[in-house]
Amino acid sequence: MKQSEFLNTVMPFKDKLFRMAKRLLVSTEEAEDATQEVLMKLWTKNTTLSKYKSVEAFAMTMTKNYCLDRLKSKQANNLKLVHSNYTDGNTSLQKKVEVADSLQWMTKIMNTLPEQQRMVLQLRDIEQYDYDEIAEMLEMNQTAIRVTLSRARKAVREQLIKKHNYGIG
């Protein structure tokens, strides 16, 4: 695979790799490093990339594994899993405060979810992957993906209802 062909294949989903890394690693710098590392690994495998049914799914799996390895490593003691990727500069102060509060609660709620539920929720509801792609990336069957997603959504919903019914939890 030539460089131009590689760029045409990989560049369309480069931002998705970054968002996945950012979701897992929180730090923008760490996410950029992770994305760069995965792109370098993909380039070293460029002669065999054509054998994969979905290069994007393969790259997302590589990103997930790389980030999880970083989180487990000793040099990543200060990293944590978190959700915070919403910004909009054209809203009122009141709306910004409400959105910041909602994101803060979603972050807290998502941090209480098991890792697998966080990953499935991220890939399905935020990155908009279909069940086949998620199953391939996470090496799970579609039924398990659906059950995990359902449980994650239910847990988030219950926590949000509790927060709204009782105020600060």
Side-chain angles (χ1 to χ4, degrees), residues 2-127:
K2 293 182 178 172
Q3 184 177 358
S4 61
E5 192 178 347
F6 175 81
L7 290 173
N8 289 336
T9 303
V10 173
M11 293 319 256
F13 59 82
K14 179 183 69 131
D15 291 342
K16 285 184 180 181
L17 298 179
F18 173 77
R19 284 192 303 271
M20 169 68 92
K22 177 92 164 94
R23 167 84 50 205
L24 291 169
L25 299 174
V26 179
S27 163
T28 301
E29 294 79 18
E30 285 284 339
E32 288 170 349
D33 290 348
T35 305
Q36 188 67 31
E37 189 66 31
V38 169
L39 291 174
M40 291 298 293
K41 287 179 181 179
L42 284 171
W43 174 249
T44 61
K45 296 178 182 286
N46 74 353
T47 56
T48 60
L49 285 180
S50 59
K51 76 177 184 175
Y52 294 101
K53 185 171 67 174
S54 170
V55 176
E56 182 177 345
F58 176 65
M60 289 296 284
T61 301
M62 286 177 65
T63 303
K64 173 200 71 160
N65 291 337
Y66 180 83
C67 291
L68 293 177
D69 288 346
R70 290 286 300 134
L71 286 169
K72 291 174 188 169
S73 76
K74 289 180 182 143
Q75 62 189 158
N77 286 338
N78 61 335
L79 298 178
K80 59 183 178 175
L81 294 168
V82 95
H83 168 68
S84 60
N85 67 347
Y86 179 83
T87 56
D88 183 3
N90 299 325
T91 56
S92 69
L93 181 59
Q94 175 68 27
K95 187 71 175 166
K96 286 181 183 178
V97 169
E98 289 173 9
V99 167
D101 185 53
S102 295
L103 281 174
Q104 195 172 32
W105 276 105
M106 282 303 298
T107 298
K108 288 178 181 178
I109 292 168
M110 285 188 73
N111 283 339
T112 65
L113 295 176
E115 179 180 299
Q116 194 171 50
Q117 289 182 8
R118 269 194 306 263
M119 294 292 294
V120 171
L121 200 60
Q122 164 77 24
L123 291 170
R124 180 68 182 156
D125 291 346
I126 296 164
E127 298 298 338

